[in-house]
Amino acid sequence: MNSMAADAWATRGGAVKWPELSEGLLRLRPATADDAESWHAIRSHAGPWQSPLQSVAAARELLLAMAAEPPFTPGWRQFLLLEGADIVGDIGLNWPAYGDYAEIGFELAPAARGRGLAQRAVRLLGSWLLDSAGLLGVVAITHTDNKAARAVLLEAGLLPCADSGLAARFDLQPHERLHLMARPADA
Ligand SMILES: CC(C)(COP(=O)(O)OP(=O)(O)OC[C@H]1O[C@@H](n2cnc3c(N)ncnc32)[C@H](O)[C@@H]1OP(=O)(O)O)[C@@H](O)C(=O)NCCC(=O)NCCS
């Protein structure tokens, strides 16, 4: 464990596995190797904003490697976003990427876009990370040209913060911008 948050989680006698989160019909659950095909399909429509998965087999290998890691050890984990029974998107979580800050990345299947689902999913996971998992903040890195992702992050309550002290922890390119959802100081 490399962070205060992880220690806090352990001493709280917290969960032994990644949670499933839901709000109305929307559900976030940890991805398993059986989700490789869905994950690969969604990622193949992410355009230039996410690195593509080479194949379904490569996606499965990655999911198996993630599942082999004990929960709450540092590294990327994948969650799938469902609306009812339909898989509509995914959120990647880098736990905890930078001290007590997690990083997230997300995408929706094209048919699920334009209805605010990503914003709700980011809020859902972000609230759990801050309120239940004890992290101090959630960060996401987007290209300034990625208008939809920037709008999603701002609407979900993340603040643009390229100039914050956190930025120094990233190798930020001039065209990238860091967004931050932070626990209020008095929380
Ligand atoms: C980012 C993504 C998840 C957003 O999906 P979504 O939640 O359905 O978002 P929307 O399509 O409703 O767009 C969100 C907002 O951005 C606006 N928007 C979308 N595309 C835009 C564009 N090209 N220019 C300006 N505004 C744009 C929408 O009008 C909307 O604004 P509103 O909430 O005021 O109506 C989806 O576009 C996607 O999967 N993109 C590919 C992967 C990706 O970029 N992931 C993020 C990596 S950090």
Side-chain angles (χ1 to χ4, degrees):
M1 296 287 170
N2 73 347
S3 82
M4 282 166 36
D7 291 346
W9 183 266
T11 55
R12 193 181 292 170
V16 291
K17 57 181 189 169
W18 294 105
E20 286 199 19
L21 305 170
S22 60
E23 184 234 274
L25 279 183
L26 210 60
R27 190 157 65 93
L28 264 178
R29 64 158 174 79
T32 71
D34 290 344
D35 296 313
E37 201 165 337
S38 303
W39 187 36
H40 177 263
I42 291 166
R43 194 51 91 77
S44 68
H45 289 106
W49 311 118
Q50 287 276 30
S51 41
L53 296 162
Q54 294 303 321
S55 62
V56 174
R60 184 172 291 114
E61 243 175 68
L62 273 173
L63 292 173
L64 281 171
M66 289 177 198
E69 289 293 323
F72 310 112
T73 48
W76 281 99
R77 301 302 197 298
Q78 205 59 46
F79 288 75
L80 285 189
L81 180 66
L82 289 89
E83 192 180 32
D86 300 329
I87 295 174
V88 292
D90 71 75
I91 294 193
L93 167 68
N94 190 0
W95 166 276
Y98 311 97
D100 292 318
Y101 293 76
E103 182 183 350
I104 57 166
F106 51 89
E107 53 249 327
L108 292 179
R113 295 179 191 170
R115 293 191 284 118
L117 295 182
Q119 180 211 141
R120 285 171 58 200
V122 169
R123 273 187 195 277
L124 190 60
L125 183 57
S127 300
W128 178 80
L129 289 165
L130 299 185
D131 299 340
S132 300
L135 294 190
L136 294 182
V138 178
V139 299
I141 299 171
T142 52
H143 286 244
T144 41
D145 289 347
N146 193 345
K147 307 288 185 215
R150 281 178 57 77
V152 164
L153 291 167
L154 294 170
E155 285 162 10
L158 285 89
L159 304 168
C161 69
D163 297 333
S164 88
L166 254 188
R169 301 191 198 180
F170 297 82
D171 183 19
L172 281 179
Q173 303 300 311
H175 59 280
E176 289 176 333
R177 191 157 176 113
L178 181 67
H179 288 71
L180 171 70
M181 175 194 265
R183 181 198 293 281
D186 56 357

